[in-house]
Amino acid sequence: PQFNMTMTIRVRIFLLLLVSVLAASVAQAHNVSAEDIALISGRSGFDFLLYLWLGAKHMVTGYDHILFLLGVIFYLTGMRSVALYVTLFAVGHSLTLIFGVLNGINVNPYFIDGIIGLSVAYKAFDNLGGFDSVLGWTPDDRWATFIFGLFHGLGLATKLQDLGLSEDGLLPNLLSFNVGVELGQIAALSVLLVLLVFWRRADSEQRFGVPFNFVILACGFALASWQFMHMVL
C-alpha cells in the first residue's frame, strides 16, 4: 500500500490526536497498579481466580501488547495465519514469563519496556514495507513475532516480581496468570479482528491502512523513547 498524499486535513488532525492520546497511554502501559499490589500483598498459596483475573487484566490494559498484536494481524486475512502468529507470540512470552519468575530474572523495567516499544515500531515499519524499501529484504515475520514474544514475556515476568509473589503456590499461580494472559489476548484479538473485518468491507483499509500504521509506529517510538529516557535519568 502507498501513502495517500491527498488525505483530508480532518483525517490528518484525527490521526495526530490519536497518536497523542495513544502515546500518552502507551507510556504508562506496563505500570503495576497500587490496587494489584494490594491484592497480592500478604497472600500465599494457590489462588487460581485471582491470578487468572490479574493475567487477563494485564493483557487487556497492556496497550503495548495490544498495539504489537494489532500490527501483527493488521494485514493477515486467513484465520490459519492469525492463529499461527498469535501462537508464536504466546509461546514466546509464556516461556520467558514462567522461566523469568521462577529463576528470579529481573531486568530493568525501563529497558525491557523500551524494547517492547521498539517491537511495536518494528512491526508497523514492517507493515509499511520499510525493510524492503531500505534493506531490499524483509525479516521473517514468524521469527520476529516469536522473538518479540520472548521480550514481552520478560516484561511480564519483571512486573510480576514487583508484586512480591509468595513462594507458596508460585508455579500454579504463574500458570493461572499465564492462562489469564492468553484469555485476555483472545478477547482483545477477537475485538480487533471484528473491527478489521468491518474496516475491510467498508474499503477503508486501502485509504487508512498506511496512515494508521504510521500511528502505530509513532506510538512504538513514543513508548521506547519515554522508557529509555527514564532509564538513563
Side-chain angles (χ1 to χ4, degrees):
Q2 298 296 319
F3 183 67
N4 184 3
M5 296 302 294
T6 62
M7 193 186 344
T8 66
I9 297 296
R10 184 175 298 178
V11 172
R12 292 181 185 181
I13 293 174
F14 167 76
L15 289 174
L16 181 61
L17 291 173
L18 184 60
V19 129
S20 301
V21 172
L22 287 180
S25 299
V26 168
Q28 303 295 332
H30 252 294
N31 282 350
V32 177
S33 69
E35 177 187 354
D36 291 344
I37 294 175
L39 282 173
I40 298 297
S41 180
R43 286 180 178 264
S44 62
F46 178 43
D47 195 330
F48 174 74
L49 291 179
L50 173 61
Y51 283 88
L52 182 77
W53 181 81
L54 286 174
K57 176 187 174 184
H58 188 92
M59 175 56 74
V60 173
T61 59
Y63 301 104
D64 45 5
H65 299 301
I66 301 301
L67 283 173
F68 178 75
L69 289 172
L70 176 59
V72 168
I73 69 172
F74 197 86
Y75 287 120
L76 297 180
T77 55
M79 288 304 298
R80 180 174 296 181
S81 296
V82 171
L84 171 63
Y85 282 92
V86 171
T87 300
L88 287 170
F89 179 76
V91 170
H93 77 64
S94 296
L95 287 174
T96 47
L97 166 62
I98 296 173
F99 182 82
V101 175
L102 291 180
N103 290 276
I105 301 174
N106 200 320
V107 182
N108 186 305
Y110 291 120
F111 173 76
I112 196 65
D113 283 353
I115 297 296
I116 290 173
L118 290 179
S119 75
V120 174
Y122 168 94
K123 190 55 204 166
F125 187 70
D126 183 34
N127 287 345
L128 292 166
F131 290 107
D132 191 49
S133 298
V134 175
L135 302 176
W137 63 280
T138 302
D140 191 321
D141 275 349
R142 294 165 296 182
W143 276 108
T145 301
F146 174 73
I147 291 171
F148 280 126
L150 295 174
F151 281 103
H152 280 248
L154 194 56
L156 286 171
T158 299
K159 293 302 177 182
L160 262 184
Q161 291 175 75
D162 290 342
L163 294 174
L165 301 177
S166 170
E167 291 292 332
D168 184 16
L170 179 59
L171 181 56
N173 283 334
L174 277 179
L175 294 175
S176 301
F177 183 87
N178 197 62
V179 170
V181 167
E182 302 310 326
L183 291 177
Q185 179 174 283
I186 291 171
L189 283 175
S190 298
V191 173
L192 292 176
L193 285 170
V194 169
L195 292 176
L196 285 173
V197 167
F198 280 106
W199 194 20
R200 288 165 183 156
R201 287 181 180 176
D203 196 30
S204 298
E205 182 180 335
Q206 184 175 0
R207 290 181 293 154
F208 300 119
V210 171
F212 197 83
N213 273 282
F214 272 114
V215 170
I216 299 175
L217 181 69
C219 289
F221 278 126
L223 171 61
S225 300
W226 190 90
Q227 300 292 349
F228 288 140
M229 178 182 68
H230 280 74
M231 184 179 70
V232 298
L233 291 179

